[in-house]
Amino acid sequence: MDAAEFRRRGREMVDYVADYLENIEQRPVYPDVEPGYLRSLIPTEAPLEPDNYDDIIKDVERIIMPGVTHWQSPYFFAYFPAASSYPAMLADMLCGAIGCIGFSWAASPACTELETVMLDWLGKMLKLPEHFIAGTHGHGGGVIQSTASEATLMSLLAARCKAVRRVQETNPERLEAEVLSKLVAYSSEQAHSSVERASLIGGVMMRKVPTDNTYAVGGGMLKKMLEEDRAAGLIPFYFCATLGTTSSCAFDHITELGPICNEENMWMHIDAAYAGSAFICPEFRPLLNGIEFADSFNFNPHKWLLINFDCSTMWVKKRQDIIGAFKVEPLYLKHENQESGRHWQIPLGRRFRSLKMWFVFRLYGIEGLQAHIRKQVVLAKEFESLVRADKRFEICAEVVMGLVCFRLKGSNELNQLLLKRITESRTIHLVPCQLSGLFVLRFAVCSRVTDSGHVQHAWRQITQLSCELLQSDH
Amino acid sequence: MDAAEFRRRGREMVDYVADYLENIEQRPVYPDVEPGYLRSLIPTEAPLEPDNYDDIIKDVERIIMPGVTHWQSPYFFAYFPAASSYPAMLADMLCGAIGCIGFSWAASPACTELETVMLDWLGKMLKLPEHFIAGTHGHGGGVIQSTASEATLMSLLAARCKAVRRVQETNPERLEAEVLSKLVAYSSEQAHSSVERASLIGGVMMRKVPTDNTYAVGGGMLKKMLEEDRAAGLIPFYFCATLGTTSSCAFDHITELGPICNEENMWMHIDAAYAGSAFICPEFRPLLNGIEFADSFNFNPHKWLLINFDCSTMWVKKRQDIIGAFKVEPLYLKHENQESGRHWQIPLGRRFRSLKMWFVFRLYGIEGLQAHIRKQVVLAKEFESLVRADKRFEICAEVVMGLVCFRLKGSNELNQLLLKRITESRTIHLVPCQLSGLFVLRFAVCSRVTDSGHVQHAWRQITQLSCELLQSDH
């Protein structure tokens, strides 16, 4: 395909994309396919000679679309949002064309520098403490990771490295392996599965801190565990706090937890994967109070800030803590401007992802982004009111942002059956969670285009299916 | 921005992309900016209200482009190629529009299923052993990772988990921490920096195996190290072989190394990040002989197979080895079709990257992809001939694929100075490596549009700068 054909096909694709998104409501949000459906529709080997382009586009509708869960549909209320906006898509086209791999400053200075400045912009939007802003002289700063999982892992690894060094400084006779076997990381029992996974990868123990009746960790419970563990000869070194848990959007009490971590010389990482975007609104910013105690902080603009996946933003108080942990630098990567490189992450290669941030911030403006957050919270509150007005249902956790946890009063079995019927209806899509042993339905406002009509429609669907269920024997 | 405006701006962006790539030769391949150049060109904070779109596009030329190292320029001969093609860019637009996060089968069945089938297609193109092909009943299969760094890390972690379990099965009294402290991984002293980094992350020792005079590891040297280490009570568990090293594109002797790893119960991972793409050509496939001994294999179609970053393909012999190592599954991710999920990687979220493979394979056909590989190898051979015909220069490693390692006969200082002049000329871009203590220049054929004229031009530049250098006192 040459440039001329790309111009033609590119225009067609732009229209296909616009058509897809404009008419997405008409597609069933959840696909009606069985595992393995695709293999039978596709040849077993790649073609020797080129296929026809038009056939490929026909196959997108014939083979791909029937198996897509439409995350951008306004009837998608599952998991958390996957951000999507036209400005981000335009920036991604530009990113693909430039096609640079920004693993060092010299590999494409604009790529490293725009990222640093965009992380400063975003950090200021969140009113992060000064030490997280790179500015021109700061010791901290931000970096784009692919996902929150990677940010958590990097913070845990940096903390591990720092803890081992500290122990060995005062006790040079202690071997690294022995120290590692005594290190303990902590997180909420409600923390995302990737936090536990980070400890498995890092080869360190992780203890799960029980939560209070709002599914949040407070200072008391952590302190108690730390005392027990210290008494047993263990070395607490890391706590991952969650702001906006995946199950119920609960907020750990970081104003209590932060001082404890600081006193105990533990690294505090804050995972605000979903909720972080909302902190650009003054009314939600108080939930981030306590950030001043944190060593690192992460959230996903690719969830709720209209920047297409992947764009997970992470800030660290001291760049050297992250960079120093894993720097391995061969000659082919050396360059005089070393410190601007990006040794803050697992992958070496990286796309020019900050272009998406730049386009989105400039084309929405801070007020436009705030409006997006507020609209989705209002919709969640609207859904909450509908649930509360129906005596057959109960709300299972405080609705703070765009997530509503609810269930039919009654058995877990009943709620499992309700969810099964909802999923099979394919008109709306939800996933469950477990809270205090109860099977709970999660209603997350996800799509950029979801409005009150879609929420009302979803509620009608849910109540209708519930009626059928409650009237039958199930 | 609504759909109507996206249609207009999208068309403009398609043209911008086509213009950029059609006229890329006219831009200096390496930017003339100082570290920190960008910050002064850009406001210190995001705008409150939306900026004008046309201003943003003007700023792309004013702020971004002057700081871009143009990886797609035919005068870019640095590092290794960053793949780029129009079909991949079209597929990426579609990927952005669908905007699904494929972390499980249910999260978007087409995303998981197309990936599995595309990895089978590619595995067959490479004539991988049957056990790497998922098919409908296989125990192995492929997955897309973001980068080779992640693939190496995943293989090392899976091997670590397997080794600890094996030791503890026969010696249940041995503690995990103690076993971990005895584990040793191995790789070539020429292996990529990410391999050493994987061992740092995994918290295990890594020993570097010396190479022969072709910069490759043979069986004898590994065997010797294993005997020493076993005698010292250590537990060898992992060897990362490289096919096509970053410095000089050397090939470890995997037909010798594979049987040793198998006998010693060590995991053999093969990192063929750059060279792997060439194995779709029958004339290069013999270099992959020995793959039948490997537990995992990885290469980057985003380097040399015309699929834009990121697309790093990894195959494992037994899916369970990877999946079993780190599966942590909360309720909100559970689905009846568990095994089709993707627990093969560090991040949980993932884009619909297999669309790029599908578009590229179908629009180039296997023959088109082979032609691309062969063309670049021919160009490297052409450059090699030019170097060999000039008595002032020497070739420093066998030219097997698209990389030529060369230098001026003489001191390292002289060659460092030559590279400095080349970089400052900004008309071509190269990076160095170190081979046997010598400072060596790497000439990698990178851009899809590089042809003989560009290679000849590059050589004229190099010889002219060399003449000036040799005539002066330097």
Side-chain angles (χ1 to χ4, degrees), chain B residues 49 147 189 206 210 309 311 368 396 405 413 438 446 467:
Chain B
E49 289 174 19
T147 63
E189 60 180 4
M206 176 162 278
F309 189 88
C311 181
C396 307
C405 290
E413 191 202 5
L438 294 178
C446 287
C467 281

Side-chain angles (χ1 to χ4, degrees), chain A residues 36 48 78 151 170 189 322 367 373 394-395 403 444 456:
Chain A
L48 267 181
T170 43
E189 60 180 5
I322 290 275
E367 292 176 353
I373 299 284
E394 58 190 345
I395 292 288
L403 176 68
Q456 295 286 342

Side-chain angles (χ1 to χ4, degrees), chain A residues 103-104 106-107 332-333, chain B residues 71 76-81 429 431 442 444 446:
Chain A
F103 46 65
S104 68
Y332 49 80
L333 292 182
Chain B
W71 283 60
F76 182 91
F77 301 106
Y79 314 107
F80 273 134
H429 189 48
V431 293
R442 291 171 78 265
C446 287

